């Protein structure tokens, strides 16, 4: 439902720096993890993990305009390691965070 979608979206945005699990997200809207994952994909067009990763990468892109270190960015946004953030970023955008920062700061 629209209410469940809004609650889920808000929980993801509020907790983007934390480890978010399907069980926690499902619990928020009183669904089983399996049913939640199925409904999430129908509502958002991708799996919860893919969506969360996309949100994190978008936040990284925005924060790369600042002088925050890559290590600090990765910790703030819930990546387990800076290398995990770098791999996810490069997979999604074809360039590393450091390379992207160089491009945008020109």
């Amino acid at each position: 439902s629209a209410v469940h979608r809004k609650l889920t979206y808000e929980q993801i945005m509020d907790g983007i720096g934390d480890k978010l699990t399907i069980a926690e997200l499902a619990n928020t809207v009183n669904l089983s993890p399996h049913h939640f994952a199925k409904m999430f994909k129908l509502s958002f067009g991708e799996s919860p993990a893919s969506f969360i990763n996309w949100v994190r990468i978008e936040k990284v892109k925005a924060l790369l305009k600042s002088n925050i270190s890559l290590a600090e960015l990765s910790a703030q946004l819930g990546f387990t390691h800076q290398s995990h953030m770098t791999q996810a970023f490069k997979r999604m955008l074809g360039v590393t965070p450091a390379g992207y920062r160089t491009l945008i700061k020109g």
Side-chain angles (χ1 to χ4, degrees):
S1 75
V3 172
H4 285 172
R5 182 181 160 93
K6 183 177 186 283
L7 286 171
T8 300
Y9 181 81
E10 288 172 353
Q11 185 177 7
I12 290 169
M13 298 311 278
D14 291 345
I16 201 65
D18 303 325
K19 182 174 175 21
L20 296 167
T21 66
I22 289 178
E24 290 169 345
L25 294 170
N27 191 44
T28 300
V29 292
N30 298 316
L31 295 174
S32 73
H34 176 75
H35 188 66
F36 173 82
K38 210 161 109 176
M39 294 292 96
F40 188 97
K41 188 158 186 159
L42 285 172
S43 294
F44 289 90
E46 59 189 317
S47 71
S50 293
F51 183 79
I52 290 166
N53 200 43
W54 175 79
V55 169
R56 285 183 173 143
I57 295 302
E58 288 299 311
K59 294 247 184 206
V60 170
K61 281 172 51 181
L63 291 171
L64 283 172
K65 295 172 185 163
S66 71
N67 291 322
I68 300 171
S69 74
L70 296 179
E72 191 175 332
L73 274 178
S74 65
Q76 275 184 19
L77 295 173
F79 289 99
T80 51
H81 302 286
Q82 181 181 335
S83 63
H84 181 236
M85 177 188 75
T86 298
Q87 289 170 355
F89 195 95
K90 188 170 183 178
R91 191 171 34 254
M92 192 171 288
L93 299 173
V95 64
T96 64
Y100 185 85
R101 178 177 266 168
T102 300
L103 288 172
I104 62 172
K105 287 199 169 185

